[in-house]
């Protein structure tokens, strides 16, 4: 749960160790958590020390440390172990070809990542991506998606969150309620999704249902059939009626 003594904001830091300015900023502002990127990681000992230093300043042994470790092109741990081959699409294809071997290999993959996390002190992974591929999907998602098959995405997403939970790693499902219909990169331009309500419910919203994840990251896109004025991140209707009521997500939303 959010510590009410801290501001509900997540900070990033500049390098592989805290600067004097960053130490002062953390003490003063008391952000809810820190998210790490590739620029913050040299090796496992350095990463462990960095996280230990952060937690000493925050005086909290369980202070939230987040990372984007989806696999494939979004792999922040590659200087420790190279996970660039193991995209979500890689495992989606394995699931399609051989269900039994998929589970065996996917379990090993998540076990290895979780062991690194637990060793250094990372406790939240901003994965899995549950966007369903379509012919419209922008390359910014691409192999970050498991599949164009909605049932495969749903089943693998459920397995992913359950396996990480077994290792006491919290997950952030994304990009709720689904970014598979986005034709532009939402990091740079606001996608306007014109898909009908019926198709959104049948495909894009479905993988997010019945997942026991503590966190979800909102899709920064306009769903024109529901709210033509605001992106999901800022839409009261999308958050209350779609994410909370229809999908049933009760955890913490982050952006």
């Amino acid at each position: 749960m959010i510590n009410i003594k801290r501001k509900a904001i997540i900070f990033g830091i500049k390098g592989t160790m805290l600067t004097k300015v960053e130490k002062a900023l953390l003490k003063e502002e008391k952000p809810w958590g820190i998210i790490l990127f590739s620029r913050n990681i040299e090796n496992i000992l350095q990463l462990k020390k960095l996280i230990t230093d952060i937690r000493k300043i925050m005086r909290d042994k369980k202070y939230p440390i987040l990372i984007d470790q989806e696999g494939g092109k979004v792999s922040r741990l590659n200087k420790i172990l190279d996970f660039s081959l193991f995209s979500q699409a890689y495992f989606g294809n394995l699931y399609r070809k051989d269900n039994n071997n998929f589970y065996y290999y996917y379990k090993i993959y998540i076990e290895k990542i979780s062991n690194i996390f637990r060793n250094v002190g990372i406790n939240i992974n901003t994965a899995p991506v549950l966007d369903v591929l379509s012919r419209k999907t922008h390359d910014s998602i691409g192999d970050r998606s498991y599949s164009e098959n909605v049932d495969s995405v749903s089943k693998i997403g459920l397995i992913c969150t359950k396996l990480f939970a077994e290792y006491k790693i919290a997950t952030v499902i994304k990009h709720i309620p689904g970014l598979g219909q986005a034709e532009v990169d939402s990091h740079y331009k606001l996608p306007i999704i014109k898909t009908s309500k019926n198709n959104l419910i049948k495909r894009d919203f479905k993988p997010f249902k019945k997942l026991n994840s503590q966190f979800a990251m909102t899709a920064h896109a306009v769903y024109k059939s529901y709210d033509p004025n605001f992106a999901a991140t800022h839409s009261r209707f999308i958050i209350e009626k779609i994410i909370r009521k229809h999908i049933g997500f009760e955890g913490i939303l982050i952006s």
Side-chain angles (χ1 to χ4, degrees), residues 190-240:
L190 182 65
I192 308 296
I193 294 173
K194 300 175 183 178
T195 309
S196 70
K197 291 181 180 181
N198 189 50
N199 284 339
L200 287 169
I201 288 168
K202 283 183 177 179
R203 282 181 59 81
D204 296 82
F205 298 169
K206 189 176 178 181
F208 296 93
K209 300 190 80 171
K210 300 178 182 178
L211 284 187
N212 187 25
S213 180
Q214 297 93 325
F215 305 92
M217 183 183 296
T218 54
H220 199 67
V222 169
Y223 296 81
K224 203 165 183 180
S225 58
Y226 284 102
D227 185 343
N229 299 313
F230 295 100
T233 304
H234 301 136
S235 171
R236 176 173 289 182
F237 185 90
I238 296 291
I239 290 171
E240 291 181 0

Side-chain angles (χ1 to χ4, degrees), residues 18-80:
L18 292 171
T19 65
K20 289 182 180 179
V21 171
E22 286 169 340
K23 289 177 182 178
L25 188 66
L26 291 179
K27 289 178 183 177
E28 177 67 23
E29 297 298 334
K30 296 180 174 60
W32 181 81
I34 298 289
I35 186 164
L36 300 175
F37 295 93
S38 299
R39 66 176 181 265
N40 305 126
I41 301 171
E42 278 184 351
N43 57 61
I44 201 162
L45 293 177
Q46 165 271 326
L47 180 56
K48 189 171 186 176
K49 184 180 186 307
L50 173 62
I51 293 171
T52 299
D53 290 345
I54 292 168
R55 289 202 165 115
K56 280 182 180 177
I57 290 170
M58 300 310 297
R59 298 181 181 180
D60 182 353
K61 292 180 180 179
K62 296 181 180 180
Y63 183 71
I65 304 292
L66 300 85
I67 196 167
D68 270 326
Q69 182 56 42
E70 299 169 8
K73 60 187 176 186
V74 184
S75 295
R76 313 302 189 197
L77 297 176
N78 284 352
K79 289 180 183 175
I80 295 172

